Amino acid sequence: MVSRILRSLWIWLASEMLIVLWTPLMAVGRLFDRDPLRRRTGRWFRRLGIALAKVNPWRIHISGTEHLDPRQTYVIVSNHQSLADIPLLSHLRTDTKWMAKAELFRTPLLGWMLRMAGDVPVNRGDRRKGAKALMQCARYLRQGLSVVCFPEGTRSRSEERRVGKECRSR
């Protein structure tokens, strides 16, 4: 019991320290990223996901990456099953922009990094803003960047899946 608590404490502390240290590094990198699509800044943000995976006790095995062509664009759709989804998807070696709920963009550090990377906020309560976010994703795809979205919109706690508004249209 005590070892589980200590391990959990280590994971959260290490994760928070990585995020706190990564934010100014990304800000400096953003200053020198002359690409209007912010590819370099986005890559640095995804490296944070890889670092977070390393401080966790997860055993990550990714197969099928030989089918990913870095010159192609993809729409990557993932069910948001756990906090491990984001570090796992960060291992994909393709330039991506992520759709994320607008609330995340308002959180200190994480939200700042999402904005610096040029990721796309989705206001799930406003259809017009949702359509605008989808149009921004379409522009990214036309410009050669892949897009990641989580159609559930939030992690589910049960077998019943919640349908999010990020990728749903009526």
Side-chain angles (χ1 to χ4, degrees), residues 66-99:
E66 67 275 7
H67 302 292
L68 283 177
D69 181 351
R71 296 167 303 205
Q72 293 291 320
T73 57
Y74 301 94
V75 175
I76 301 165
V77 180
S78 174
N79 288 332
H80 208 353
Q81 300 281 319
S82 75
L83 290 174
D85 298 339
I86 293 163
L88 176 69
L89 288 170
S90 295
H91 282 81
L92 297 178
R93 300 214 184 272
T94 183
D95 285 327
T96 57
K97 295 300 178 190
W98 294 37
M99 292 180 71

Side-chain angles (χ1 to χ4, degrees), residues 21 33 49 54 61 68 80 91 104 112 116 137 165 169:
L21 294 172
D33 191 353
K54 288 181 180 181
H61 173 77
L68 283 177
H80 208 353
H91 282 81
L104 290 176
W112 302 339
M116 282 188 268
C137 289
K165 295 179 185 172
S169 63

Side-chain angles (χ1 to χ4, degrees), residues 2 11-12 14 18 20 33 37 43 52 55 57 61 73 83 89 115 117 123-124 130 144 148 150 152 162 170:
V2 173
I11 291 167
W12 283 104
L18 274 171
V20 166
D33 191 353
L37 297 176
R43 286 182 205 130
L52 288 169
V55 300
H61 173 77
T73 57
L83 290 174
L89 288 170
R115 286 204 190 282
N123 184 330
R124 299 181 295 168
V148 176
F150 299 90
E152 288 187 28
R162 298 179 192 154
R170 290 188 178 191

Side-chain angles (χ1 to χ4, degrees), residues 100-120:
K101 57 187 175 182
E103 296 87 356
L104 290 176
F105 285 76
R106 292 190 289 269
T107 60
L109 305 179
L110 177 62
W112 302 339
M113 288 189 284
L114 286 163
R115 286 204 190 282
M116 282 188 268
D119 290 332
V120 182

Side-chain angles (χ1 to χ4, degrees), residues 8 14 25 27 33 39 41 59 62 83 92 97 101 110 127 131 148-149 152 157 159 163:
S8 180
L25 290 173
D33 191 353
R39 284 182 179 93
T41 306
R59 293 177 192 206
I62 299 174
L83 290 174
L92 297 178
K97 295 300 178 190
K101 57 187 175 182
L110 177 62
R127 285 187 183 167
V148 176
C149 73
E152 288 187 28
R157 294 196 178 274
E159 291 296 318
V163 177

Side-chain angles (χ1 to χ4, degrees), residues 150-162:
F150 299 90
E152 288 187 28
T154 190
R155 287 180 288 117
S156 1
R157 294 196 178 274
S158 70
E159 291 296 318
E160 176 186 329
R161 301 288 180 233
R162 298 179 192 154

